Amino acid sequence: MPASVYLDYNATTPVAPEVAEAIRPYLYQLFGNPSSAHSHGRVARAAVDRARGEVADLLGARPQEVVFTGCATEASNLAILGAARAGVDERRHLVTSAVEHPAVMVPMRRLESEGWSLTVVPVDSTGHVAVADVERALRPDTLLVSIMHANNEVGTIQPIARIAALTRARGILLHTDAAQSVAKIPVNVHELGADLLSVAGHKFYATKGVGALWVRPGVRLAPPVVGADHEHGLRPGTENVPAIVGLGCAARLGLGRLGEATAHLTRLRDRLHQALGQAVPGLTLNGHPQARLPSTLNFSFPGVSGRDLLAAVDDSLSASLGSACHSEHEAVSGVLAAMGCNATRAMGAVRLSVGWPTTETEVDTAAHALASAWERLHARR
Ligand code: PLP
């Protein structure tokens, strides 16, 4: 077990003990296939149905609107490629933002390469999408808008409900990638007003390899993966019962402790911010000062590269460069570039994300390690 402080909860979370316990019987005695009519199958089906209800409750949705997938990437692919391929010929325009995760941006670009027209809406220096820019991007032939609920690198929360008011009035579909926001801040599909919403299990204490897409009733999708009729025909393949049971349990926990979690994360995030702000003159926060996930701090450390800084703290801290959940190369983060950060500031960026298990001691240890590593590197310049 690494001794380092883990401040990379936006990359992934540990599995909650309650989730591990909930899963265990479904790995052993309760191993049935939910499609089987016999008692083993019926027990598995009941577990999947229960989990569907739990995920629906977390989102303020109805169980039949939840489609289980293998991850949030798959959920967003199903939403975007599925909506495009079920769409009508007259609507061949798509809109997204400049700070989307590749789970959204890559299917959007794929459709563009197939002849769809794509508008990428910019963000301001805090990573915020202006509702007026989205409005300007909409056209009579727009089929789908996909704007993330909260950004994985800088935590900025987007005005989804206000964007939904625009798309709804024009009969345009709205998808939102809520992989980072679920169980950290309220995510209610009716308050957000979207038509499609992606969820990632491993960002809120379920296992990796499970996610969900919420689909508003009446939205038609042509699934990219075809086969049998599992998940209303939208995600064929035998259900991953243990992971789905775990997702349901994590959703129940997430809903039960949402207010407490938001307060806990905010307190630790702000403690870390304050400690580093005092110790590192010239430290700059990347992201929105207020409309930001309670888990997330993205800092540019002056005069050093984020990679050198994390190497200097060595194994005492697990944190990431801007987008380390999907990048192993030192390159300027596309998100920071879209926010107008210059290359020096972007190269100095480190993302620190706290989670439910984070303690004050861990935050203080991490702040001390980062501040002294920064001083050492800075003194050498
Ligand atoms: N969307 C966002 C905003 C993310 O942060 C991530 C996580 O890396 C994903 C999508 C992809 O999630 P998954 O790993 O479940 O496919």
Side-chain angles (χ1 to χ4, degrees):
M1 184 63 196
S4 67
V5 173
Y6 184 81
L7 289 185
D8 205 10
Y9 287 87
N10 281 16
T12 198
T13 62
V15 173
E18 296 89 335
V19 169
E21 281 312 303
I23 288 173
R24 189 188 299 273
Y26 294 90
L27 295 170
Y28 298 110
Q29 310 92 316
L30 310 181
F31 59 85
N33 183 329
S35 298
S36 301
H38 49 60
S39 63
H40 282 76
R42 289 198 304 274
V43 167
R45 168 62 54 209
V48 169
D49 287 347
R50 201 164 41 246
R52 204 184 299 285
E54 290 167 328
V55 172
D57 285 348
L58 177 64
L59 303 176
R62 284 181 298 183
Q64 62 271 29
E65 299 161 5
V66 173
V67 177
F68 290 120
T69 63
C71 55
T73 299
E74 192 192 328
S76 293
N77 270 251
L78 172 58
I80 295 165
L81 299 176
R85 299 201 165 129
V88 288
D89 282 349
E90 302 78 62
R91 288 191 182 238
R92 298 276 292 177
H93 176 237
L94 308 160
V95 176
T96 194
S97 87
V99 291
E100 297 299 316
H101 190 276
V104 164
M105 192 53 92
V106 174
M108 284 289 187
R109 292 288 183 204
R110 166 73 60 88
L111 289 167
E112 188 183 34
S113 75
E114 291 173 11
W116 291 71
S117 166
L118 174 65
T119 303
V120 179
V121 175
V123 293
D124 67 14
S125 61
T126 70
H128 210 246
V129 171
V131 177
D133 285 340
V134 177
E135 185 165 26
R136 256 192 301 278
L138 301 179
R139 310 192 319 209
D141 65 339
T142 306
L143 174 83
L144 171 74
V145 175
S146 179
I147 308 270
M148 70 200 323
H149 189 202
N151 185 265
N152 43 305
E153 291 186 40
V154 296
T156 299
I157 300 168
Q158 304 298 356
I160 299 301
R162 293 175 55 214
I163 293 169
L166 299 176
T167 52
R168 180 70 53 83
R170 292 163 176 78
I172 295 168
L173 293 174
L174 176 63
H175 166 250
T176 189
D177 174 357
Q180 287 292 346
S181 54
V182 163
K184 294 177 191 151
I185 57 172
V187 176
N188 179 293
V189 293
H190 298 293
E191 284 167 14
L192 290 174
D195 300 292
L196 297 150
L197 181 142
S198 303
V199 173
H202 72 109
K203 309 289 189 189
F204 65 104
Y205 311 98
T207 60
K208 295 166 185 64
V210 68
L213 179 69
W214 170 75
V215 185
R216 183 182 290 284
V219 172
R220 286 179 49 243
L221 300 174
V225 178
V226 289
D229 62 356
H230 306 91
E231 298 297 304
H232 325 297
L234 292 175
R235 204 283 187 168
T238 302
E239 297 89 339
N240 184 348
V241 179
I244 288 171
V245 166
L247 184 65
C249 179
R252 178 161 36 82
L253 292 174
L255 183 61
R257 66 188 187 190
L258 183 61
E260 207 188 328
T262 308
H264 172 75
L265 299 178
T266 306
R267 199 167 47 75
L268 291 168
R269 180 197 71 180
D270 293 349
R271 184 182 178 99
L272 183 56
H273 191 167
Q274 204 185 7
L276 281 170
Q278 277 168 4
V280 181
L283 186 79
T284 40
L285 177 75
N286 301 312
H288 198 280
Q290 286 91 35
R292 199 168 86 252
L293 285 176
S295 60
T296 311
L297 287 168
N298 186 310
F299 288 125
S300 289
F301 286 76
V304 302
S305 91
R307 188 166 291 267
D308 289 346
L309 187 68
L310 291 185
V313 295
D314 200 17
D315 283 343
S316 64
L317 173 65
S318 294
S320 63
L321 302 171
S323 59
C325 61
H326 56 263
S327 170
E328 289 167 7
H329 310 289
E330 184 159 31
V332 168
S333 140
V335 171
L336 295 181
M339 289 163 56
C341 280
N342 63 37
T344 314
R345 179 169 163 185
M347 294 304 267
V350 170
R351 180 186 70 180
L352 304 164
S353 47
V354 295
W356 184 246
T358 307
T359 63
E360 288 185 357
T361 310
E362 285 185 317
V363 158
D364 297 347
T365 306
H368 178 73
L370 283 165
S372 36
W374 175 78
E375 270 171 30
R376 284 198 307 279
L377 290 174
H378 209 247
R380 273 196 227 144
R381 294 178 72 238

